[in-house]
Amino acid sequence: MDWLNDIRWDAQGLVPVIAQERATGDVLMFAWMNREALAKTAELGRAVYFSRSRGKLWFKGEESGHVQQVHEIRLDCDNDVVLLKVTQLGHDPSIACHTGRHSCFFQRYRDGKWEAVEPVLKDPESIYK
Amino acid sequence: MDWLNDIRWDAQGLVPVIAQERATGDVLMFAWMNREALAKTAELGRAVYFSRSRGKLWFKGEESGHVQQVHEIRLDCDNDVVLLKVTQLGHDPSIACHTGRHSCFFQRYRDGKWEAVEPVLKDPESIYK
């Protein structure tokens, strides 16, 4: 698994990961992977992250059904950041964020404040039963 | 500066930052900011990062001329990742990467290997004189 050794894992054995929706170019979310998560992602063709809060693999969509189909895995010039090109499954329009929004990046800076500028597409309480 | 206090800075006082080209949606690069870098970015409307290797503010483009004009600053649901919508200045077609490529994410995974799949648009030696 030379390609996994090419990654410059951080001191915790993790690498930051950006998930981008292939069809729209929207940046959906940011998360982390360890070696096993990246190997699983490549093997399954779906996003598997490492949850730092839970300390274990996180099969994106395992609870919500909001699975990410992975089309492409990219690595940056320093070999320490991964970019996924995905199709966000499970809801139309697509939901990547646990708040029920399309993208996690829904807060926009303006005049010294952060404003939520994207709608909630589904009530989180009905996503996580 | 309440909006800076809203950020969940990591143990090193940093936040991860994704720079996305507004016109194309391309993810150009990934870097870090400290409090001062983010304040400067908002103030100047150009990307100012914190260089972890050099331990100081990094005015993107200060050497290369490849400045990033910042149109929008976004924050994710957990308040711990920033997304910039930028115009990448200084070269046409645009170059964000120190290797002289458009994007830092030029390595694609395929069949157990990483392959460089984006062209070098300008010789790095002529970028950094």
Side-chain angles (χ1 to χ4, degrees):
Chain A
M1 299 297 252
D2 281 353
W3 68 282
L4 290 170
N5 295 331
D6 289 337
I7 309 267
R8 288 174 53 201
W9 305 97
D10 74 7
Q12 285 74 48
L14 302 176
V15 68
V17 181
I18 302 159
Q20 181 181 32
E21 192 169 51
R22 185 176 65 168
T24 61
D26 293 339
V27 175
L28 298 178
M29 57 177 280
F30 173 94
W32 298 82
M33 287 185 183
N34 63 3
R35 195 180 163 92
E36 190 185 356
L38 182 52
K40 279 276 175 213
T41 296
E43 177 194 334
L44 302 176
R46 64 170 280 196
V48 181
Y49 300 106
F50 181 80
S51 168
R52 294 187 303 170
S53 57
R54 286 175 285 166
K56 60 172 190 165
L57 287 191
W58 164 32
F59 289 76
K60 170 72 179 163
E62 62 193 347
E63 284 183 68
S64 63
H66 300 160
V67 168
Q68 290 173 343
Q69 179 185 1
V70 174
H71 302 287
E72 222 175 275
I73 306 175
R74 295 268 186 142
L75 182 62
D76 80 333
C77 49
D78 294 326
N79 288 11
D80 61 3
V81 186
V82 167
L83 172 67
L84 304 179
K85 306 280 185 95
V86 307
T87 297
Q88 177 64 60
L89 304 172
H91 193 271
D92 185 16
S94 67
I95 297 175
C97 185
H98 77 286
T99 65
R101 293 178 175 89
H102 172 59
S103 161
C104 293
F105 295 92
F106 60 83
Q107 301 182 92
R108 185 176 63 193
Y109 173 76
R110 180 170 276 178
D111 299 333
K113 282 201 298 277
W114 298 103
E115 298 174 335
V117 294
E118 309 280 350
V120 174
L121 300 170
K122 188 172 180 182
D123 181 349
E125 292 204 5
S126 73
I127 298 176
Y128 303 94
K129 285 158 224 144
Chain B
M1 301 296 254
D2 281 353
W3 67 282
L4 289 170
N5 294 331
D6 289 337
I7 307 270
R8 288 173 53 202
W9 305 96
D10 74 8
Q12 285 75 47
L14 302 176
V15 69
V17 181
I18 301 159
Q20 181 181 32
E21 192 168 53
R22 184 175 66 169
T24 60
D26 294 339
V27 175
L28 297 178
M29 55 177 282
F30 173 93
W32 298 83
M33 287 184 183
N34 64 3
R35 195 180 163 92
E36 190 184 358
L38 183 52
K40 279 278 174 210
T41 296
E43 177 194 335
L44 303 176
R46 64 171 279 195
V48 181
Y49 300 106
F50 181 80
S51 168
R52 294 187 303 170
S53 56
R54 285 175 285 169
K56 60 172 191 164
L57 288 192
W58 163 32
F59 290 75
K60 169 72 179 162
E62 61 192 349
E63 285 184 69
S64 63
H66 300 160
V67 167
Q68 291 172 343
Q69 180 185 1
V70 174
H71 302 288
E72 223 176 276
I73 306 174
R74 295 270 186 140
L75 182 61
D76 80 333
C77 49
D78 293 325
N79 288 11
D80 61 3
V81 186
V82 167
L83 172 68
L84 304 179
K85 306 280 184 96
V86 308
T87 296
Q88 178 63 59
L89 305 172
H91 194 270
D92 186 15
S94 67
I95 297 175
C97 185
H98 77 287
T99 66
R101 292 179 176 88
H102 172 58
S103 160
C104 293
F105 295 92
F106 61 83
Q107 301 182 92
R108 186 175 64 192
Y109 173 76
R110 179 170 275 178
D111 300 332
K113 283 200 298 277
W114 299 103
E115 298 173 336
V117 294
E118 308 281 349
V120 173
L121 300 170
K122 188 173 179 182
D123 181 349
E125 292 204 5
S126 74
I127 299 177
Y128 304 95
K129 286 158 224 141

